[in-house]
Amino acid sequence: MPSDNFEEMRILKQGIRLVCKSIGALLLIAVILFIVTSISPIYDFQEPKSFSGNDLFNPYRNLDTTHCWKRANFHVHTRVKGILNECEYWPDEVYRRLEKFGYDIVTFSNHNEITTHPFDPNLQVNVYEHGYNLFKFHKLVFGSRSVNYFDHLLPFLASQKQFQLDLLGRDADIIQINHPLRTNFFSSKQFSKLGGYQLMELDSGHSTENEYWDSALSAGHYCFGLANDDLHKPDRSNCIAIRCNFLATPSARYADILHTLRDGAFYAMRIPDYGKGDWELKYKKNNELPYIKNIGVQDSTIYIALSTPADSIKISGEQHRTLKLAMQTDSAAYTMQSDDPYARITAYFPQGEVIYSNPFARYDASKSDTPFTESTHSVNYPLTILFNLVLMLLLGGVSVALYKLIFKK
């Protein structure tokens, strides 16, 4: 009998030891993955510099009013082949649902996968959402022929984020930083450093203020703003048709879309969940949205005219300062002062709709056509070598520990 108890204790200890070893091995493997995916150059970033110059960039300079505003959602997920799915519905099903709300342009931005348009090759847009890191530092990549799978598991550093943007930019037409408010460990200070993207996803979360956009703009990183559903659940009224964009573009073909996204003749919009589950009311109200009738620059005065009066029209500037606030009106204007690097317009409507214009910014027209600048950073070679050497030493130590844990008797 005592020998039986001894045998049971021995088996129990072996089981506990095996479980502990397994957990330890998994933890060490996770550390190895973190180290391997942390490899990155370390950059010296240029100090933030406000927009300057005697000229005022008008993103709506080529606005063609003969084109009707076309409604677009660029951040849409669908069912894909395989087991890793973030949506239960196939592309054609999602497209038809969005079509009911008046969307003219729908692009499918599945994670690390280029999705084929479900029925019209002429409307194909090669776009995917890059990133499987744990911090949700995701980007929309337009125009690439293939997916870049490299990512940092935990991109703490601004240099790591910049390295990703640089890699993606090699074969992308245009890049958008996705849902900044839902990205962990993404500070205003990092926003003031990063470059190499042209679009910022707005209104990601419950805030309508977009302070992170102002962090980038205040640092001299010019970018346009898009608002998208980031649609995963098209069968839920509070997930679909709550954010969109209106482009002044002749068609839904990629060439026209790309030209408009690069040029700036579009605006973003937040939309309430009309009816909160009453789909017929939601369809009806989505066909009655307020819109921009006219927008632009006259001399040094920016102006906007709306289809219906807004509760307020706010003109924001550097560091998110309010430059002007007009109440209960369908139009507003603001004369840019010599010390205003940029200004952008936000219109708030009685039922909760919000319209966001692209920013008007100072620049020198004799040197450039736009205030867009190349990404301003250089590799700090000593720090790069030291950083990656430390990673390699850690990798070696952890690998030895894993080997001993697995094979030590």
Side-chain angles (χ1 to χ4, degrees), residues 173-367:
D173 290 328
I174 197 166
I175 296 173
Q176 171 184 281
I177 291 182
N178 286 353
H179 45 65
L181 282 181
R182 294 192 283 112
T183 301
N184 300 312
F185 298 97
F186 202 4
S187 64
S188 296
K189 186 176 181 180
Q190 288 192 345
F191 262 115
S192 70
K193 295 179 178 181
L194 298 183
Y197 61 93
Q198 300 78 29
L199 300 169
M200 180 81 72
E201 191 165 59
L202 307 181
D203 194 25
S204 61
H206 299 293
S207 172
T208 60
E209 290 300 303
N210 299 314
E211 293 96 336
Y212 48 86
W213 195 15
D214 286 316
S215 295
L217 294 170
S218 298
H221 298 297
Y222 190 82
C223 56
F224 297 135
L226 289 175
N228 301 293
D229 280 344
D230 189 2
L231 185 61
H232 292 260
K233 298 174 180 177
D235 56 336
R236 297 188 183 183
S237 68
N238 64 335
C239 296
I240 189 171
I242 54 173
R243 295 176 185 87
C244 69
N245 310 281
F246 286 91
L247 281 64
T249 185
S251 80
R253 295 172 182 262
Y254 180 59
D256 290 328
I257 293 172
L258 179 61
H259 174 77
T260 305
L261 291 181
R262 284 174 167 170
D263 204 49
F266 60 92
Y267 64 90
M269 193 168 187
R270 179 189 182 116
I271 305 163
D273 178 23
Y274 299 113
K276 298 186 182 301
D278 183 341
W279 289 94
E280 292 305 315
L281 179 60
K282 189 176 177 76
Y283 294 140
K284 179 177 181 295
K285 297 294 289 184
N286 268 269
N287 286 311
E288 301 172 350
L289 296 175
Y291 60 90
I292 293 179
K293 293 176 64 177
N294 200 7
I295 187 170
V297 177
Q298 182 68 44
D299 296 325
S300 59
T301 299
I302 65 173
Y303 61 86
I304 187 171
L306 303 167
S307 63
T308 186
D311 276 346
S312 63
I313 301 175
K314 182 169 71 172
I315 299 175
S316 304
E318 192 174 36
Q319 302 302 332
H320 198 58
R321 290 185 298 112
T322 299
L323 304 176
K324 182 174 181 177
L325 186 64
M327 306 297 293
Q328 306 295 326
T329 181
D330 61 1
S331 62
Y334 174 73
T335 300
M336 296 279 287
Q337 305 301 303
S338 59
D339 59 347
D340 288 330
Y342 74 91
R344 61 181 183 84
I345 305 171
T346 308
Y348 301 87
F349 293 89
Q351 294 189 57
E353 305 93 342
V354 187
I355 282 177
Y356 309 102
S357 82
N358 279 320
F360 303 83
R362 294 200 174 278
Y363 76 118
D364 186 346
S366 66
K367 297 180 179 180

Side-chain angles (χ1 to χ4, degrees), residues 365-381:
S366 66
K367 297 180 179 180
S368 175
D369 294 332
T370 73
F372 281 106
T373 57
E374 294 296 325
S375 189
T376 51
H377 57 277
S378 58
V379 177
N380 185 317
Y381 288 100

